[in-house]
Amino acid sequence: MTKIFKSLSTGMLIGAAALATAAQAESGDTLASIKSRGELLCGVHPARHGFAAPDSQGNWAGLEVDYCHALAAAVFGDADKVRFVALSSQQRFPAIQSGEVDVLVRNVTATLGRDTALGLNFAPPIFYTGTGFLVHAGSGVETVEDLDGATICVAPGSTTERNVAQIFASRGMEYTPVVIENNKQLVDAYVTGRCDALTKDKAALPGVRAYDTTDPKEHVLLPGIFSKEPLAPAVRQGDDQWYDIVKWVVYATFNAEELGVTSENAEEMRNSDDVDVMSLLGTTGDYGSKLGLTEDWAYDVITQVGNYGEIYDRHFGPDSPVQLDRDLNKQWTDGGLLYGFPIK
């Protein structure tokens, strides 16, 4: 069974790598194309609550959706100039490689294979998580070891698919995968009992429990995180300017939180004499023009979308439907992994 998984994954990497070779970006082309089009094309997950999901009116919301808005704010000074392109696991890499989307902000784990063979460049991770399992309460399953012989629902072409194979192989355990591409059908297969467990990034499972089950109390997250999954925006290789813009928009949200600059006080903070705040908000230096943007690009990002803490709390904070402790997603000054490079 492990060989089958490896064959599928290798085949997808080879196919996507061939496509990447055929569609290298030229530096500066992406920003010029976005400005000419008048909107950013952002590849997102079709339905992962907390990260990206449309409501009944078709309005998208989620942490990754907000980073699409942040990029639009940096480029246009208008966070709404973005079109969301829902992409399945199989569609996401060809979409960014072919130029169907300008950036992929879709629960993509940054890995060496994707960075090289797929022709991608990864911005700093905007969320750290790992493989987790959701099981039916009353099933008697309390740890991952209790899943020996179980049926596991998993999406194809994901790092989670490979992780599950490794987790079970390393423990000498057997399982039967139920591999389903469509996310709704995958979740439905678990909810209706076709699978003993559903596996995804652990950060995605509270959303499934809250939104996709009739009684969230009947479903339990198993303890532990079983892999490293740094989720990061991805762009095509070859366009350093666009890569820099995506990278520094992410850093700007990190730095704003660290410096205490919020969507509410950013206007007032423009009068600050703190050189780091001045550089962030564009009241000193020419850091915007170095990126091909206006000098107040980060001010637009922060006032229209917020700093990282505001974004996180909006979708995973204590007042959100999908509540998750920040854990590794805290600032480095609070023991987390978020570390914004200095703007200077």
Side-chain angles (χ1 to χ4, degrees):
M1 187 60 67
T2 302
K3 290 180 179 179
I4 293 175
F5 276 111
K6 287 181 177 177
S7 296
L8 285 171
S9 301
T10 302
M12 286 184 286
L13 279 170
I14 292 172
L19 185 55
T21 301
Q24 284 283 316
E26 295 293 333
S27 186
D29 277 2
T30 308
L31 180 61
S33 176
I34 294 168
K35 287 184 173 179
S36 175
R37 188 189 309 123
E39 63 181 0
L40 171 77
L41 299 178
C42 200
V44 296
H45 197 287
R48 180 155 287 184
H49 295 289
F51 290 98
D55 63 17
S56 59
Q57 307 300 315
N59 300 311
W60 287 86
L63 182 141
E64 293 183 329
V65 165
D66 277 353
Y67 272 93
C68 299
H69 283 303
L71 284 165
V75 171
F76 295 109
D78 184 346
D80 290 331
K81 288 190 173 182
V82 55
R83 186 181 354 144
F84 298 100
V85 181
L87 299 169
S88 69
S89 295
Q90 301 284 22
Q91 294 169 329
R92 56 184 174 171
F93 296 129
I96 186 65
Q97 292 162 342
S98 67
E100 178 184 347
V101 296
D102 302 309
V103 61
L104 196 60
V105 195
R106 193 217 168 276
N107 269 216
V108 178
T109 300
T111 69
L112 186 150
R114 290 169 174 175
D115 201 359
T116 54
L118 295 190
L120 303 180
N121 280 332
F122 287 97
I126 56 176
F127 205 99
Y128 291 92
T129 184
T131 298
F133 295 88
L134 187 68
V135 301
H136 300 273
S139 64
V141 175
E142 296 181 350
T143 69
V144 71
E145 285 74 19
D146 294 330
L147 288 173
D148 191 12
T151 302
I152 309 293
C153 275
V154 60
S158 63
T159 52
T160 302
E161 185 183 19
R162 293 191 294 274
N163 293 337
V164 171
Q166 293 171 353
I167 290 165
F168 279 73
S170 66
R171 288 166 171 76
M173 295 161 49
E174 300 289 335
Y175 73 105
T176 301
V178 175
V179 181
I180 301 174
E181 166 70 9
N182 181 277
N183 183 65
K184 184 178 186 306
Q185 293 174 2
L186 175 69
V187 172
D188 286 347
Y190 161 73
V191 172
T192 58
R194 183 176 169 192
C195 304
D196 300 307
L198 172 67
T199 183
K200 289 176 175 284
D201 290 343
K202 192 165 187 176
L205 295 174
V208 171
R209 183 169 57 181
Y211 289 99
D212 298 319
T213 67
T214 55
D215 186 356
K217 295 190 298 296
E218 293 300 315
H219 304 271
V220 178
L221 275 168
L222 294 186
I225 294 178
F226 300 94
S227 67
K228 293 193 291 186
E229 305 293 338
L231 308 181
V235 297
R236 285 186 296 162
Q237 291 180 358
D239 189 338
D240 288 345
Q241 181 193 33
W242 180 235
Y243 178 40
D244 283 346
I245 289 171
V246 175
K247 186 168 53 180
W248 285 100
V249 164
V250 172
Y251 283 144
T253 63
F254 293 175
N255 288 334
E257 183 183 26
E258 183 180 343
L259 294 168
V261 181
T262 70
S263 57
E264 297 296 324
N265 69 11
E267 178 62 35
E268 179 184 350
M269 294 289 273
R270 280 177 131 171
N271 299 317
S272 171
D273 57 4
D274 183 313
V275 67
D276 291 328
V277 173
M278 294 168 65
S279 299
L280 174 68
L281 297 179
T283 57
T284 188
D286 58 350
Y287 305 111
S289 57
K290 291 182 187 303
L291 291 170
L293 304 173
T294 61
E295 301 302 348
D296 57 355
W297 61 278
Y299 171 82
D300 288 332
V301 170
I302 297 161
T303 54
Q304 296 181 40
V305 184
N307 66 35
Y308 185 87
E310 291 179 285
I311 295 170
Y312 188 96
D313 284 346
R314 193 178 300 140
H315 305 293
F316 294 100
D319 296 326
S320 70
V322 184
Q323 300 173 15
L324 277 178
D325 186 88
R326 280 185 66 169
D327 197 22
L328 295 177
N329 298 296
K330 295 176 182 175
Q331 289 283 331
W332 67 285
T333 49
D334 294 326
L337 296 178
L338 301 189
Y339 185 102
F341 286 12
I343 298 176
K344 61 182 181 182

